[in-house]
Amino acid sequence: MADWKNWSGMHAAQPKLMARPQTIEQLQDVVQTAPGPVRVTGSGHSFTQLVPSDGTIVSVNALSGLKGHDSSACTATVGAGTRLGELTQILHSIDQALANMGDIDQQTLAGALGTATHGTGSTLGAYHTLVEDVEFVDGKGAIRRYSKADNAEMLQAIGVALGCFGILTQVTLKNMQSYRLHKRRYVLPISDMLANFFPMMQGHRSAEFFYVPFSSSAIFVSSDLTDEPATSRPPEEDEDGLKTLKMLRTYLRYIPWARRKLIAGALRKMPREDYVEEWLKVYTSDRRTRFNEMEYHVPIEEGPKAIAEIIALGEKHFPEVYFPLEVRTVAADEMWLSPFYKRPTCSIAVHHDALEDPYPYFAAIEPIFKRHGGRPHWGKMHTLTGADLARLYPRWKDAMDVRRELDPDNRFVSPYIARLIGLDG
Ligand SMILES: Cc1cc2nc3c(=O)[nH]c(=O)nc-3n(C[C@H](O)[C@H](O)[C@H](O)COP(=O)(O)OP(=O)(O)OC[C@H]3O[C@@H](n4cnc5c(N)ncnc54)[C@H](O)[C@@H]3O)c2cc1C
């Protein structure tokens, strides 16, 4: 039995020690004395091997909750192990709000920051752009604190850090006053969606779309700030929808015209969604059906071309795929290891049933992402290693110099991390 497993079940580990420090002093002791490599886990929602170690896996779940807040600056300091769902409740209770969120709220804050987790919105940055200051334990076991105000460059170096620069203990976030969102969802032909990609994706505060394989249709979802009173969010139907798509895939895999006709019919009947709710009730959903995922971030202008190529290739060669493709946008930022570094981005995600082999599909799609200049999501499946990544990240070498300074004995470097950051050769 594995002691640690990721959400999709793809990766597991049996470390010599599973450490759950209750205090920062205990965490310092783990970093200084536990069997290496020392990798830190959040809630295990990454699809890559960032966390596995045969030495020590440490969880800072105990370091969670509100540590303090400043109402006039609209900032809040929380333990790094706080789950995003708990974070939304904490912020709501002090009349603060996250500017944006991704698809789920099960990740820890530190885990989300570690991989540049993001939502959608061409003017909205990923979670790490909210960080004002951090406290962490470095590879020597020393406590370090950096703030945007005093050392902006250091924060840019460590803002997205893959658990390689230190173990975060607490984070201060710059938030907003609470707000409501007007959310809308409707179906349109994928040809119209791609022809109007820029006005549609940039014409709302947040916008994204899903392409259902073998449907020729996109499901477009937008949300905008509003003063209208809250109505209520309709019940979620995503899980039932996935079951239907899987059933059609299984029975009509070799009759694509019938599969297309039935899916198109079902999507035509899908009710439009149109409601107003508090921010924390709008962004996230339940994701119960397990999958594996590859997501790349391409320059926004490359988005429509890359999407069209992925759809064509998938429908020609991979009839087993039934999970929708997800397309989002993310604002550029300044963090050196952020996939959005100085680049307005279109994020494109492909998913594959966790009970089935994802590798042939992902191996076929990845060259499309690469051709369009994609940078991989750090927490989602990809095959890039240090040399590839150094070419994609202009400040790569500077970031690696900072990593060496913070972890000179490579306490946080597992074999996977060594390949990822180019320490294996
Ligand atoms: C169902 C599902 C939906 C998802 N939706 C989205 C989405 O909408 N947008 C998106 O961008 N991603 C999404 N993801 C990916 C997910 O957000 C990231 O993989 C995220 O990193 C997972 O957080 P975690 O807490 O599970 O961290 P883990 O996966 O456990 O760890 C991630 C990284 O963070 C590091 N880390 C964890 N804790 C600390 C700490 N205290 N200090 C320093 N480093 C630390 C780890 O070492 C590791 O490198 C989704 C994943 C799943 C399974």
Side-chain angles (χ1 to χ4, degrees), residues 317-340:
H317 296 293
F318 297 93
E320 85 273 14
V321 176
Y322 66 90
F323 269 89
L325 184 94
E326 184 175 15
V327 179
R328 295 179 275 188
T329 57
V330 187
D333 66 57
E334 297 293 328
M335 303 283 179
W336 297 352
L337 294 187
S338 163
F340 319 110

Side-chain angles (χ1 to χ4, degrees), residues 4-11 43-47 104 106 239 286-293 323 351-352 354:
W4 180 93
K5 220 163 47 163
N6 77 328
W7 178 84
S8 75
M10 168 75 89
H11 305 298
S43 61
H45 276 63
S46 295
F47 300 92
I104 58 162
Q106 297 303 302
E239 292 293 326
D286 249 5
R287 292 275 185 264
R288 272 169 283 140
T289 308
R290 306 271 159 146
F291 53 82
N292 283 299
E293 181 173 348
F323 269 89
H351 308 75
H352 205 276

Side-chain angles (χ1 to χ4, degrees), residues 60-227:
V60 296
N61 279 0
L63 307 180
S64 67
L66 184 66
K67 308 290 175 197
H69 71 285
D70 179 337
S71 299
S72 53
C74 210
T75 57
T77 302
V78 293
T82 308
R83 291 220 185 197
L84 297 180
E86 188 193 346
L87 177 62
T88 61
Q89 297 299 332
I90 290 172
L91 296 182
H92 194 55
S93 73
I94 54 172
D95 198 28
Q96 295 190 13
L98 290 167
N100 198 11
M101 295 187 76
D103 287 344
I104 58 162
D105 64 5
Q106 297 303 302
Q107 310 94 319
T108 60
L109 176 59
L113 299 174
T115 61
T117 292
H118 62 96
T120 190
S122 48
T123 60
L124 301 174
Y127 284 106
H128 57 261
T129 62
L130 307 177
V131 173
E132 289 287 302
D133 59 62
V134 293
E135 177 190 86
F136 64 92
V137 172
D138 72 14
K140 287 285 194 190
I143 297 175
R144 301 225 184 197
R145 295 188 184 88
Y146 294 107
S147 77
K148 204 180 199 169
D150 296 338
N151 199 336
E153 180 146 275
M154 194 62 171
L155 221 62
Q156 288 166 5
I158 63 175
V160 175
L162 315 163
C164 294
F165 291 55
I167 299 184
L168 282 171
T169 51
Q170 71 177 40
V171 180
T172 300
L173 297 173
K174 173 81 179 162
N175 300 310
M176 294 173 61
Q177 301 274 287
S178 283
Y179 56 92
R180 281 193 295 282
L181 290 169
H182 189 155
K183 185 156 180 184
R184 297 179 180 86
R185 183 192 72 193
Y186 60 92
V187 175
L188 76 166
I190 185 67
S191 50
D192 291 357
M193 181 67 235
L194 293 181
N196 297 297
F197 179 87
F198 294 102
M200 288 183 73
M201 295 299 274
Q202 294 172 335
H204 297 274
R205 181 176 188 270
S206 305
E208 67 180 318
F209 72 90
F210 297 88
Y211 175 71
V212 180
F214 300 93
S215 75
S216 307
S217 299
I219 303 169
F220 180 71
V221 184
S222 66
S223 60
D224 294 287
L225 296 175
T226 182
D227 289 329

